[in-house]
Amino acid sequence: MLNLVIFGAPGSGKGTQSAKLIDSYGLHHISTGEVLRAEIARGTDLGKLADSYISKGNLIPDDLMIRILDDLLPSLMADGRGVVFDGFPRTIPQAEALEGLLLKHGTELHGVIGLEVPEEELVARMLRRGAETGRADDNEETIKNRLGVYHTQTQPLQAYYMEKNKYMPVEGTGVVDEIFGRIAGHIEKRTGHRPRK
Ligand code: AMP
């Protein structure tokens, strides 16, 4: 089993590299942002609540986010292959909860891939994505708040995971396949797992 967190600021390429990870290692993927956007698109009560945070660039409260993950985890864990966690955890309480949830499933987190990208590049990528996909929170004002939220609430996880010797820093600029090569190198060194293709 291989459980990984893909970590980084908004716009750092977590979604892009997650897609390559699940394909190359045969893993499941959970993007909490995608889960919430699907709820918004379906107009559910959870979606309406989530939208009130997402549209401002703020984080959904920890207890709600942890409950959502707890509900989704059994099906992701069932076949024992492993999961890429994308956009979760975003706070220290979420990271602590993840540890407990994985333990409940008899497993653990094997590593955290930290995509490191300069801020100007993050902003440019998100503005481009906003123009190409119409993603509502990829506008200049919300991006500014999301980056602020990242620095105050999420970035402390870097030190948290460094201390646990789980953090693998990866330069997240350049060609997508080159970045993935760096990630694969870290994974092999740390866990012995190699891409299956
Ligand atoms: P993402 O697609 O990961 O960039 O997430 C988009 C938005 O969804 C974030 O700006 C938050 O408002 C919300 N969100 C996603 N994941 C989480 C999380 N783990 N905790 C709190 N809010 C989240």
Side-chain angles (χ1 to χ4, degrees), residues 32-33 36-37 54 58-60 65 87-88 90 94 135:
T32 43
L36 297 168
R37 281 189 290 278
I54 294 181
N58 294 326
L59 296 185
I60 273 71
M65 210 60 248
F88 187 100
R90 262 180 157 93
Q94 288 183 17
R135 184 170 148 171

Side-chain angles (χ1 to χ4, degrees), residues 3-4 6 9 11 36 56 59 62 76 84 86 90 92 101 115 120 129 137 155 159 170 172-173 191 193 195:
N3 297 309
L4 301 167
I6 187 138
L36 297 168
K56 297 190 189 80
L59 296 185
D62 283 336
L76 296 166
V84 176
D86 164 4
R90 262 180 157 93
I92 302 272
L101 289 175
L115 292 173
E120 323 80 72
R129 183 173 62 189
D137 58 350
Q155 210 167 22
V170 172
T173 49
T191 70
H193 282 80

Side-chain angles (χ1 to χ4, degrees), residues 8 11 72 91 99-100 115 123 148 176 185:
L72 292 170
T91 63
E99 214 172 307
L115 292 173
V123 174
V176 169

